[in-house]
Amino acid sequence: MDAPALEIDRVSHAFGKRRALDDVSLTVPAGRFVALLGPNGAGKTTLFSLATRLYTTREGRVRIFGHDLAREPSAALAELGVVFQSRTLDLDLSVRQNLAYHAALHGLAGRPARARIVHLLALVGLGERADEKVRTLSGGQARRVEIARALIHRPRLLLLDEATVGLDLESRSAIVAIVRRLVEEERLAVLWATHIFDEVRADDEIYVLDKGRIIAHGTAGEVTGAHLARPKPEDMPSGATAALEAAFRAMIAARAEDAA
Ligand SMILES: Nc1ncnc2c1ncn2[C@@H]1O[C@H](COP(=O)(O)OP(=O)(O)OP(=O)(O)O)[C@@H](O)[C@H]1O
């Protein structure tokens, strides 16, 4: 059996006195889509920064396909692709140039690099825009280039931090569909961080992060059921997305009451 794509094992992280992550554990199995749901400030970006070794993990362990990130960083990071929340493409280079530059950083050049770029741009539906400057693309298209770029070295795990933030509904749906297809067809493992409920399906495995702690884990359907046991009639949600959102609000409210 494959080692899990990602194991976050009892990880904590503080910025000075502010504890951004507190004893967080989560697992993304190989070839699976897992969502990390949390409001702004929950700690999602901090978790991504630790999983990509931007920050050093001082408490707890991160393993990628069984490779300990602290002890075997090269082997671990070779399996990892990441799309950060903030945009990082060079706007004045073409789509192809952006990808070629990134390929070179991974030691991929010449014909194999060119072929990989063509393949990935087709995968994200941008084959025809390869020679246009990134500046001419829409926000959603630029995000799709970032997904292609993150996959250039054939990682088996992709982390996406609020990849659809600021995009219109149509662009968001296109990106979610591309990522889900990569999971189904290419057996890519994905950790999808979001605070947008309609990106999560009832049968998706989710972790709910709030104020640095995992407060719920299960399928979205299970989490919704557990936290909406006694909904008030006026709160009865009309669909799966609304149900998850209502459950989420119930959890956060319960935690706020406990803290008071
Ligand atoms: N570099 C930093 N220095 C100090 N505090 C930080 C730093 N980065 C994050 N924090 C704090 O850590 C907590 C978690 O922030 P983080 O950015 O990880 O959350 P998030 O879930 O990604 O939210 P968002 O979606 O708004 O980015 C917040 O209280 C934030 O203010």
Side-chain angles (χ1 to χ4, degrees):
M1 209 178 99
D2 283 339
L6 177 67
E7 281 175 283
I8 304 280
D9 184 10
R10 308 206 62 182
V11 164
S12 297
H13 190 81
F15 297 101
K17 285 191 179 154
R18 182 180 301 141
R19 216 159 166 74
L21 291 176
D22 189 4
D23 205 17
V24 167
S25 295
L26 68 80
T27 301
V28 180
R32 296 286 298 277
F33 178 96
V34 173
L36 177 65
L37 211 59
N40 289 338
K44 305 183 295 296
T45 301
T46 305
L47 192 65
F48 275 51
S49 302
L50 291 165
T52 52
R53 220 164 167 254
L54 221 53
Y55 300 155
T56 304
T57 307
R58 296 185 201 284
E59 281 183 69
R61 297 226 158 268
V62 177
R63 290 183 208 90
I64 298 174
F65 285 99
H67 300 291
D68 186 302
L69 190 57
R71 292 193 196 143
E72 306 173 75
S74 304
L77 293 174
E79 299 281 15
L80 177 68
V82 59
V83 176
F84 286 108
Q85 198 170 337
S86 41
R87 308 283 155 96
T88 54
L89 294 170
D90 188 322
L91 299 179
D92 291 319
L93 293 183
S94 70
V95 169
R96 197 192 305 275
Q97 285 168 329
N98 266 280
L99 295 189
Y101 177 67
H102 204 71
L105 290 179
H106 284 282
L108 192 64
R111 194 178 297 170
R114 288 198 292 277
R116 181 83 184 136
I117 290 169
V118 168
H119 171 73
L120 288 170
L121 287 179
L123 214 65
V124 299
L126 287 173
E128 285 168 12
R129 309 295 297 266
D131 293 312
E132 291 176 35
K133 283 191 177 170
V134 168
R135 190 177 290 289
T136 67
L137 302 182
S138 70
Q141 289 165 337
R143 269 282 128 134
R144 278 146 60 187
V145 176
E146 288 183 312
I147 292 172
R149 186 183 61 176
L151 297 176
I152 207 119
H153 57 298
R154 295 191 165 79
R156 290 187 291 161
L157 168 65
L158 182 62
L159 308 183
L160 300 109
D161 188 5
E162 305 255 11
T164 58
V165 101
L167 302 179
D168 61 37
L169 188 58
E170 200 181 326
S171 308
R172 288 207 287 120
S173 309
I175 287 172
V176 175
I178 286 168
V179 170
R180 288 193 185 273
R181 209 171 60 229
L182 287 165
V183 175
E184 276 152 30
E185 293 176 8
E186 316 252 327
R187 260 190 67 76
L188 190 69
V190 165
L191 182 62
W192 176 269
T194 188
H195 66 269
I196 303 174
F197 299 88
D198 63 15
E199 293 175 356
V200 176
R201 294 183 194 153
D203 59 349
D204 283 335
E205 183 174 354
I206 66 168
Y207 288 83
V208 180
L209 185 69
D210 179 47
K211 298 194 183 77
R213 296 198 71 116
I214 300 289
I215 59 167
H217 171 221
T219 66
E222 288 163 357
V223 168
T224 306
H227 290 274
L228 279 180
R230 291 181 302 280
K232 295 182 217 136
E234 63 271 28
D235 289 345
M236 278 301 281
S238 55
T241 299
L244 183 58
E245 187 159 357
F248 183 73
R249 303 220 177 288
M251 276 182 260
I252 307 282
R255 284 202 0 115
E257 268 173 37
D258 287 350

